[in-house]
Amino acid sequence: MNQKGRWGLLVLMALALHGCAVAKGPAGPALLLGVHAAETRTAAGYAAKLDRAAALGLGAVRVPVDWAQLEPDEAGVFDPAYLEELKRRVADARARGLEVVVLLAQSPAWASGRPEDPAYPPAPEHRADYARALVRLASALQTAGPVRAWEVWNEPNSTEFWPAYAGRERAGSFVLVPLEAAAEYAALIREAYAAMKRAHPQAVVLGGSLAAADVAYLEALWRAFGADVPMDALALHPYARPDERKGPHHGYAQYPDQCNEEIDDLSPPWCFERGLELVRDFLRSKGFDRPLWLTEFGVSSADAWGDAGSEAEQAKHLEITLGILDRRAGPGDLNVAAAIWYRLDDEGEDLFGLYREDGTLKPAGERLRERAGP
């Protein structure tokens, strides 16, 4: 989720509502900790990102792949230079001891019919092309090193990444798609999952990739799935909304162990701990005992509405989150297998990073390094 989208979401909500290193907690289970490493203009720039991720002692890196860049002109024809760069990224990550989680999103114009915006998902007649691209990418990357998991799309319950529903958002949310859209994502992941399992039966396919703990969308997704759920684990992005309560933290993102349920019933999806509880309760009710992968979590250090308010506050948010995961990540509780911070570096107004733009480590990065270390 980019900063521009996050900022717009938080402003609108405010108007509406007035490793492989494996980190272990003090008494908690093993948990794969990682970081999202965004695209760079050069191969050397991405290698430097991986160096910074490895320096934190993390166990994984989330590598976004732009389908529009990978297969720009027609189905079945990959851009050779971009593919080689992706192979290099995976190989470089594995050489640094980092597991790799690959995200494939962003449609080429020929697949979506929307040349002005690659965020659109593929049109129904091109869902199979997305599935074939995922399989071909998995086959091509085998020589670079094993990929730990494959993530099918990014935040399909958000109009930022499923934009056909922009202007028709769910009542009160300003960003979440109407529930009938879940059937469209269900069709996409069903196609992708079946294709991957035929070609690469051992591949771990992550579905959902949801913005917030959106149980209502999950319920609609499960109705669309029917008897067979086409994912090996559920990916989730449990971000927090602004804290509406009066006090010194008013206006900033609520802490991960807070939930403003006393204000209105729109808050729980945008709570960290409470949101995970609600998602796990729903999954148990459906007999789905596979783990959660938090493929994005985090908060900006900016001093703006809905952000942490400072670098020190960002580190405090991370400290609280790690404490929750240390206590509750086990299979008998929240069952969280991996947690990937969004993102590695600050960039412009996007201050979600563990490192500043000048390459120096922020307090949140220092805290994560302490947690991931021996």
Short mmCIF file of all heavy atoms in Angstrom, two decimals, residues 73-125:
data_model
loop_
_atom_site.label_atom_id
_atom_site.label_comp_id
_atom_site.label_asym_id
_atom_site.label_seq_id
_atom_site.Cartn_x
_atom_site.Cartn_y
_atom_site.Cartn_z
N ASP A 73 3.28 -6.60 -23.48
CA ASP A 73 2.68 -6.44 -24.81
C ASP A 73 1.66 -7.49 -25.20
O ASP A 73 0.70 -7.20 -25.90
CB ASP A 73 3.80 -6.40 -25.86
CG ASP A 73 4.75 -5.25 -25.64
OD1 ASP A 73 4.28 -4.15 -25.30
OD2 ASP A 73 5.97 -5.46 -25.80
N GLU A 74 1.88 -8.73 -24.76
CA GLU A 74 0.95 -9.80 -25.11
C GLU A 74 1.16 -10.99 -24.19
O GLU A 74 2.22 -11.14 -23.57
CB GLU A 74 1.14 -10.23 -26.56
CG GLU A 74 2.53 -10.75 -26.87
CD GLU A 74 2.69 -11.19 -28.31
OE1 GLU A 74 1.84 -11.99 -28.78
OE2 GLU A 74 3.63 -10.74 -28.97
N ALA A 75 0.15 -11.82 -24.09
CA ALA A 75 0.22 -13.01 -23.23
C ALA A 75 1.31 -13.94 -23.72
O ALA A 75 1.48 -14.17 -24.92
CB ALA A 75 -1.12 -13.74 -23.23
N GLY A 76 2.09 -14.45 -22.76
CA GLY A 76 3.10 -15.44 -23.06
C GLY A 76 4.46 -14.89 -23.44
O GLY A 76 5.38 -15.66 -23.68
N VAL A 77 4.59 -13.56 -23.49
CA VAL A 77 5.87 -12.96 -23.89
C VAL A 77 6.38 -12.08 -22.74
O VAL A 77 5.89 -10.98 -22.52
CB VAL A 77 5.72 -12.12 -25.17
CG1 VAL A 77 7.08 -11.52 -25.55
CG2 VAL A 77 5.17 -12.97 -26.31
N PHE A 78 7.34 -12.60 -22.00
CA PHE A 78 7.94 -11.86 -20.89
C PHE A 78 9.00 -10.89 -21.41
O PHE A 78 9.69 -11.17 -22.40
CB PHE A 78 8.60 -12.81 -19.90
CG PHE A 78 7.66 -13.50 -18.95
CD1 PHE A 78 6.30 -13.29 -19.00
CD2 PHE A 78 8.16 -14.36 -17.97
CE1 PHE A 78 5.44 -13.93 -18.12
CE2 PHE A 78 7.32 -14.99 -17.08
CZ PHE A 78 5.95 -14.78 -17.15
N ASP A 79 9.12 -9.78 -20.72
CA ASP A 79 10.21 -8.86 -21.00
C ASP A 79 11.51 -9.48 -20.48
O ASP A 79 11.65 -9.69 -19.27
CB ASP A 79 9.96 -7.51 -20.32
CG ASP A 79 11.09 -6.53 -20.57
OD1 ASP A 79 12.03 -6.51 -19.76
OD2 ASP A 79 11.02 -5.80 -21.57
N PRO A 80 12.46 -9.80 -21.35
CA PRO A 80 13.64 -10.55 -20.90
C PRO A 80 14.51 -9.80 -19.90
O PRO A 80 15.05 -10.40 -18.97
CB PRO A 80 14.40 -10.84 -22.20
CG PRO A 80 13.90 -9.85 -23.18
CD PRO A 80 12.48 -9.56 -22.80
N ALA A 81 14.63 -8.48 -20.07
CA ALA A 81 15.48 -7.71 -19.16
C ALA A 81 14.86 -7.68 -17.75
O ALA A 81 15.57 -7.84 -16.74
CB ALA A 81 15.67 -6.29 -19.69
N TYR A 82 13.55 -7.48 -17.69
CA TYR A 82 12.89 -7.45 -16.38
C TYR A 82 12.94 -8.82 -15.71
O TYR A 82 13.17 -8.93 -14.51
CB TYR A 82 11.45 -6.97 -16.54
CG TYR A 82 10.72 -6.75 -15.23
CD1 TYR A 82 11.22 -5.88 -14.26
CD2 TYR A 82 9.52 -7.40 -14.97
CE1 TYR A 82 10.54 -5.67 -13.07
CE2 TYR A 82 8.82 -7.19 -13.79
CZ TYR A 82 9.34 -6.32 -12.83
OH TYR A 82 8.67 -6.12 -11.66
N LEU A 83 12.75 -9.87 -16.49
CA LEU A 83 12.81 -11.21 -15.92
C LEU A 83 14.20 -11.49 -15.35
O LEU A 83 14.32 -12.06 -14.26
CB LEU A 83 12.45 -12.25 -16.98
CG LEU A 83 12.46 -13.71 -16.52
CD1 LEU A 83 11.47 -13.93 -15.38
CD2 LEU A 83 12.16 -14.64 -17.68
N GLU A 84 15.24 -11.10 -16.07
CA GLU A 84 16.59 -11.31 -15.55
C GLU A 84 16.82 -10.52 -14.27
O GLU A 84 17.49 -11.00 -13.35
CB GLU A 84 17.63 -10.92 -16.61
CG GLU A 84 17.74 -11.91 -17.76
CD GLU A 84 18.01 -13.33 -17.28
OE1 GLU A 84 18.95 -13.52 -16.48
OE2 GLU A 84 17.27 -14.25 -17.69
N GLU A 85 16.26 -9.32 -14.21
CA GLU A 85 16.39 -8.53 -12.99
C GLU A 85 15.68 -9.21 -11.82
O GLU A 85 16.19 -9.24 -10.69
CB GLU A 85 15.81 -7.13 -13.21
CG GLU A 85 15.73 -6.26 -11.96
CD GLU A 85 17.07 -6.02 -11.29
OE1 GLU A 85 18.13 -6.21 -11.92
OE2 GLU A 85 17.07 -5.67 -10.09
N LEU A 86 14.52 -9.80 -12.06
CA LEU A 86 13.82 -10.52 -11.00
C LEU A 86 14.61 -11.74 -10.54
O LEU A 86 14.69 -12.02 -9.33
CB LEU A 86 12.43 -10.95 -11.49
CG LEU A 86 11.45 -9.81 -11.79
CD1 LEU A 86 10.16 -10.36 -12.40
CD2 LEU A 86 11.13 -9.02 -10.52
N LYS A 87 15.20 -12.45 -11.48
CA LYS A 87 16.05 -13.58 -11.10
C LYS A 87 17.20 -13.12 -10.21
O LYS A 87 17.54 -13.77 -9.21
CB LYS A 87 16.60 -14.27 -12.34
CG LYS A 87 15.58 -15.02 -13.17
CD LYS A 87 16.26 -15.63 -14.39
CE LYS A 87 15.29 -16.36 -15.28
NZ LYS A 87 15.94 -16.94 -16.48
N ARG A 88 17.77 -11.98 -10.57
CA ARG A 88 18.89 -11.45 -9.79
C ARG A 88 18.43 -11.08 -8.37
O ARG A 88 19.12 -11.33 -7.39
CB ARG A 88 19.48 -10.24 -10.49
CG ARG A 88 20.75 -9.69 -9.83
CD ARG A 88 21.29 -8.48 -10.56
NE ARG A 88 21.60 -8.78 -11.96
CZ ARG A 88 20.93 -8.31 -13.01
NH1 ARG A 88 19.90 -7.50 -12.81
NH2 ARG A 88 21.28 -8.62 -14.23
N ARG A 89 17.25 -10.49 -8.27
CA ARG A 89 16.74 -10.10 -6.95
C ARG A 89 16.54 -11.32 -6.05
O ARG A 89 16.89 -11.29 -4.87
CB ARG A 89 15.42 -9.34 -7.10
CG ARG A 89 15.59 -7.98 -7.73
CD ARG A 89 14.27 -7.28 -7.96
NE ARG A 89 14.47 -6.06 -8.74
CZ ARG A 89 13.51 -5.24 -9.11
NH1 ARG A 89 12.25 -5.51 -8.78
NH2 ARG A 89 13.78 -4.15 -9.81
N VAL A 90 15.96 -12.36 -6.61
CA VAL A 90 15.74 -13.57 -5.82
C VAL A 90 17.07 -14.20 -5.43
O VAL A 90 17.29 -14.59 -4.27
CB VAL A 90 14.85 -14.57 -6.58
CG1 VAL A 90 14.78 -15.90 -5.85
CG2 VAL A 90 13.44 -14.00 -6.77
N ALA A 91 17.97 -14.33 -6.39
CA ALA A 91 19.28 -14.92 -6.10
C ALA A 91 20.05 -14.10 -5.06
O ALA A 91 20.67 -14.66 -4.15
CB ALA A 91 20.09 -15.04 -7.39
N ASP A 92 20.00 -12.78 -5.19
CA ASP A 92 20.70 -11.92 -4.24
C ASP A 92 20.09 -12.03 -2.84
O ASP A 92 20.81 -12.03 -1.83
CB ASP A 92 20.66 -10.47 -4.71
CG ASP A 92 21.58 -10.20 -5.88
OD1 ASP A 92 22.37 -11.09 -6.23
OD2 ASP A 92 21.51 -9.08 -6.43
N ALA A 93 18.77 -12.13 -2.78
CA ALA A 93 18.12 -12.28 -1.47
C ALA A 93 18.52 -13.61 -0.83
O ALA A 93 18.88 -13.66 0.36
CB ALA A 93 16.61 -12.20 -1.63
N ARG A 94 18.49 -14.67 -1.60
CA ARG A 94 18.84 -15.98 -1.06
C ARG A 94 20.31 -16.01 -0.63
O ARG A 94 20.66 -16.64 0.36
CB ARG A 94 18.57 -17.07 -2.10
CG ARG A 94 17.10 -17.20 -2.52
CD ARG A 94 16.18 -17.56 -1.36
NE ARG A 94 16.55 -18.85 -0.82
CZ ARG A 94 16.67 -19.13 0.47
NH1 ARG A 94 16.48 -18.19 1.38
NH2 ARG A 94 17.00 -20.34 0.87
N ALA A 95 21.19 -15.33 -1.37
CA ALA A 95 22.60 -15.28 -1.02
C ALA A 95 22.83 -14.57 0.31
O ALA A 95 23.83 -14.82 0.98
CB ALA A 95 23.39 -14.57 -2.12
N ARG A 96 21.90 -13.73 0.70
CA ARG A 96 21.99 -13.01 1.96
C ARG A 96 21.20 -13.70 3.08
O ARG A 96 21.01 -13.14 4.15
CB ARG A 96 21.48 -11.57 1.78
CG ARG A 96 22.43 -10.71 0.94
CD ARG A 96 21.73 -9.49 0.39
NE ARG A 96 22.65 -8.58 -0.31
CZ ARG A 96 23.11 -8.77 -1.54
NH1 ARG A 96 22.75 -9.85 -2.23
NH2 ARG A 96 23.93 -7.90 -2.09
N GLY A 97 20.72 -14.89 2.81
CA GLY A 97 20.00 -15.64 3.82
C GLY A 97 18.55 -15.22 4.00
O GLY A 97 17.93 -15.55 5.01
N LEU A 98 18.02 -14.51 3.02
CA LEU A 98 16.64 -14.01 3.11
C LEU A 98 15.69 -14.91 2.33
O LEU A 98 15.93 -15.19 1.14
CB LEU A 98 16.56 -12.59 2.56
CG LEU A 98 17.31 -11.51 3.34
CD1 LEU A 98 17.48 -10.26 2.48
CD2 LEU A 98 16.59 -11.18 4.64
N GLU A 99 14.63 -15.36 2.98
CA GLU A 99 13.54 -16.01 2.26
C GLU A 99 12.85 -14.97 1.38
O GLU A 99 12.91 -13.77 1.65
CB GLU A 99 12.53 -16.60 3.25
CG GLU A 99 13.09 -17.64 4.18
CD GLU A 99 13.11 -19.04 3.58
OE1 GLU A 99 12.81 -19.14 2.36
OE2 GLU A 99 13.41 -19.98 4.31
N VAL A 100 12.16 -15.43 0.33
CA VAL A 100 11.53 -14.52 -0.62
C VAL A 100 10.04 -14.79 -0.69
O VAL A 100 9.61 -15.94 -0.87
CB VAL A 100 12.16 -14.67 -2.02
CG1 VAL A 100 11.42 -13.79 -3.04
CG2 VAL A 100 13.64 -14.30 -1.99
N VAL A 101 9.25 -13.74 -0.55
CA VAL A 101 7.81 -13.78 -0.79
C VAL A 101 7.56 -12.92 -2.02
O VAL A 101 7.87 -11.72 -2.02
CB VAL A 101 7.02 -13.24 0.42
CG1 VAL A 101 5.52 -13.22 0.10
CG2 VAL A 101 7.30 -14.08 1.66
N VAL A 102 7.04 -13.51 -3.07
CA VAL A 102 6.79 -12.80 -4.32
C VAL A 102 5.33 -12.39 -4.40
O VAL A 102 4.43 -13.23 -4.21
CB VAL A 102 7.18 -13.65 -5.54
CG1 VAL A 102 6.68 -13.01 -6.84
CG2 VAL A 102 8.69 -13.84 -5.61
N LEU A 103 5.10 -11.13 -4.68
CA LEU A 103 3.76 -10.59 -4.94
C LEU A 103 3.64 -10.29 -6.43
O LEU A 103 4.48 -9.56 -6.98
CB LEU A 103 3.55 -9.30 -4.14
CG LEU A 103 2.40 -8.39 -4.59
CD1 LEU A 103 1.05 -9.03 -4.34
CD2 LEU A 103 2.50 -7.03 -3.90
N LEU A 104 2.61 -10.83 -7.08
CA LEU A 104 2.36 -10.53 -8.49
C LEU A 104 1.06 -9.74 -8.61
O LEU A 104 -0.02 -10.24 -8.27
CB LEU A 104 2.28 -11.80 -9.33
CG LEU A 104 2.07 -11.59 -10.84
CD1 LEU A 104 3.25 -10.86 -11.46
CD2 LEU A 104 1.83 -12.92 -11.55
N ALA A 105 1.17 -8.50 -9.08
CA ALA A 105 0.01 -7.63 -9.24
C ALA A 105 0.28 -6.66 -10.39
O ALA A 105 1.33 -6.70 -11.02
CB ALA A 105 -0.29 -6.89 -7.94
N GLN A 106 -0.68 -5.78 -10.65
CA GLN A 106 -0.59 -4.74 -11.68
C GLN A 106 -0.76 -5.35 -13.08
O GLN A 106 0.14 -5.99 -13.61
CB GLN A 106 0.73 -3.97 -11.62
CG GLN A 106 1.05 -3.39 -10.25
CD GLN A 106 0.20 -2.18 -9.91
OE1 GLN A 106 -0.86 -2.34 -9.32
NE2 GLN A 106 0.65 -1.00 -10.25
N SER A 107 -1.91 -5.13 -13.68
CA SER A 107 -2.22 -5.75 -14.97
C SER A 107 -1.65 -4.96 -16.14
O SER A 107 -1.73 -3.73 -16.17
CB SER A 107 -3.73 -5.84 -15.17
OG SER A 107 -4.33 -6.71 -14.23
N PRO A 108 -1.12 -5.67 -17.16
CA PRO A 108 -0.82 -4.99 -18.43
C PRO A 108 -2.12 -4.54 -19.09
O PRO A 108 -3.20 -5.11 -18.85
CB PRO A 108 -0.11 -6.07 -19.25
CG PRO A 108 -0.51 -7.36 -18.62
CD PRO A 108 -0.79 -7.09 -17.18
N ALA A 109 -2.02 -3.52 -19.92
CA ALA A 109 -3.23 -2.95 -20.53
C ALA A 109 -3.99 -3.98 -21.35
O ALA A 109 -5.23 -3.98 -21.39
CB ALA A 109 -2.85 -1.75 -21.40
N TRP A 110 -3.28 -4.89 -22.02
CA TRP A 110 -3.97 -5.89 -22.85
C TRP A 110 -4.82 -6.83 -22.01
O TRP A 110 -5.79 -7.42 -22.52
CB TRP A 110 -2.98 -6.68 -23.70
CG TRP A 110 -1.93 -7.44 -22.94
CD1 TRP A 110 -0.65 -7.05 -22.70
CD2 TRP A 110 -2.09 -8.72 -22.31
NE1 TRP A 110 0.02 -8.00 -21.96
CE2 TRP A 110 -0.84 -9.04 -21.71
CE3 TRP A 110 -3.13 -9.64 -22.20
CZ2 TRP A 110 -0.63 -10.23 -21.00
CZ3 TRP A 110 -2.93 -10.82 -21.50
CH2 TRP A 110 -1.69 -11.11 -20.91
N ALA A 111 -4.49 -6.98 -20.72
CA ALA A 111 -5.24 -7.90 -19.86
C ALA A 111 -6.39 -7.22 -19.14
O ALA A 111 -7.40 -7.86 -18.84
CB ALA A 111 -4.29 -8.53 -18.83
N SER A 112 -6.24 -5.94 -18.84
CA SER A 112 -7.28 -5.24 -18.08
C SER A 112 -8.17 -4.37 -18.94
O SER A 112 -9.30 -4.06 -18.55
CB SER A 112 -6.63 -4.35 -17.02
OG SER A 112 -5.92 -3.27 -17.63
N GLY A 113 -7.65 -3.96 -20.12
CA GLY A 113 -8.40 -3.01 -20.93
C GLY A 113 -8.36 -1.61 -20.38
O GLY A 113 -9.12 -0.74 -20.82
N ARG A 114 -7.44 -1.38 -19.45
CA ARG A 114 -7.35 -0.07 -18.79
C ARG A 114 -5.91 0.45 -18.88
O ARG A 114 -5.15 0.42 -17.92
CB ARG A 114 -7.74 -0.20 -17.31
CG ARG A 114 -9.15 -0.69 -17.09
CD ARG A 114 -10.14 0.44 -17.26
NE ARG A 114 -11.50 0.03 -16.89
CZ ARG A 114 -12.47 0.87 -16.59
NH1 ARG A 114 -12.24 2.17 -16.64
NH2 ARG A 114 -13.67 0.43 -16.27
N PRO A 115 -5.51 0.94 -20.03
CA PRO A 115 -4.11 1.37 -20.19
C PRO A 115 -3.74 2.53 -19.28
O PRO A 115 -2.56 2.74 -19.00
CB PRO A 115 -4.05 1.78 -21.66
CG PRO A 115 -5.46 2.05 -22.07
CD PRO A 115 -6.30 1.11 -21.27
N GLU A 116 -4.73 3.25 -18.77
CA GLU A 116 -4.42 4.41 -17.92
C GLU A 116 -4.10 4.04 -16.48
O GLU A 116 -3.57 4.86 -15.73
CB GLU A 116 -5.61 5.39 -17.93
CG GLU A 116 -6.83 4.98 -17.11
CD GLU A 116 -7.70 3.89 -17.74
OE1 GLU A 116 -7.39 3.47 -18.87
OE2 GLU A 116 -8.70 3.49 -17.11
N ASP A 117 -4.38 2.80 -16.09
CA ASP A 117 -4.21 2.44 -14.68
C ASP A 117 -3.93 0.96 -14.54
O ASP A 117 -4.84 0.13 -14.60
CB ASP A 117 -5.47 2.81 -13.89
CG ASP A 117 -5.28 2.67 -12.38
OD1 ASP A 117 -4.22 2.15 -11.96
OD2 ASP A 117 -6.17 3.09 -11.63
N PRO A 118 -2.66 0.57 -14.28
CA PRO A 118 -2.34 -0.86 -14.14
C PRO A 118 -2.86 -1.48 -12.86
O PRO A 118 -2.75 -2.70 -12.70
CB PRO A 118 -0.80 -0.86 -14.17
CG PRO A 118 -0.41 0.50 -13.71
CD PRO A 118 -1.47 1.42 -14.23
N ALA A 119 -3.40 -0.69 -11.95
CA ALA A 119 -3.93 -1.26 -10.72
C ALA A 119 -5.15 -2.14 -10.97
O ALA A 119 -5.51 -2.96 -10.14
CB ALA A 119 -4.28 -0.16 -9.71
N TYR A 120 -5.81 -1.96 -12.13
CA TYR A 120 -6.99 -2.76 -12.42
C TYR A 120 -6.64 -4.24 -12.51
O TYR A 120 -5.59 -4.60 -13.06
CB TYR A 120 -7.64 -2.31 -13.73
CG TYR A 120 -8.56 -1.13 -13.59
CD1 TYR A 120 -8.06 0.16 -13.57
CD2 TYR A 120 -9.93 -1.31 -13.45
CE1 TYR A 120 -8.90 1.25 -13.43
CE2 TYR A 120 -10.79 -0.23 -13.32
CZ TYR A 120 -10.27 1.06 -13.30
OH TYR A 120 -11.11 2.14 -13.16
N PRO A 121 -7.50 -5.10 -12.00
CA PRO A 121 -7.26 -6.55 -12.16
C PRO A 121 -7.51 -6.96 -13.60
O PRO A 121 -8.08 -6.20 -14.39
CB PRO A 121 -8.30 -7.16 -11.22
CG PRO A 121 -9.42 -6.17 -11.22
CD PRO A 121 -8.76 -4.82 -11.30
N PRO A 122 -7.09 -8.17 -13.97
CA PRO A 122 -7.37 -8.63 -15.33
C PRO A 122 -8.87 -8.78 -15.56
O PRO A 122 -9.63 -9.11 -14.65
CB PRO A 122 -6.66 -9.98 -15.39
CG PRO A 122 -6.54 -10.43 -13.97
CD PRO A 122 -6.37 -9.18 -13.17
N ALA A 123 -9.27 -8.53 -16.79
CA ALA A 123 -10.66 -8.79 -17.17
C ALA A 123 -10.93 -10.28 -17.04
O ALA A 123 -10.01 -11.10 -17.10
CB ALA A 123 -10.89 -8.31 -18.60
N PRO A 124 -12.19 -10.67 -16.87
CA PRO A 124 -12.49 -12.10 -16.67
C PRO A 124 -11.87 -13.01 -17.72
O PRO A 124 -11.38 -14.10 -17.38
CB PRO A 124 -14.02 -12.13 -16.73
CG PRO A 124 -14.44 -10.79 -16.22
CD PRO A 124 -13.39 -9.83 -16.74
N GLU A 125 -11.85 -12.59 -18.97
CA GLU A 125 -11.29 -13.46 -20.02
C GLU A 125 -9.77 -13.55 -19.95
O GLU A 125 -9.17 -14.39 -20.66
CB GLU A 125 -11.71 -12.96 -21.40
CG GLU A 125 -11.21 -11.57 -21.76
CD GLU A 125 -12.15 -10.45 -21.35
OE1 GLU A 125 -12.95 -10.66 -20.41
OE2 GLU A 125 -12.06 -9.37 -21.97
#
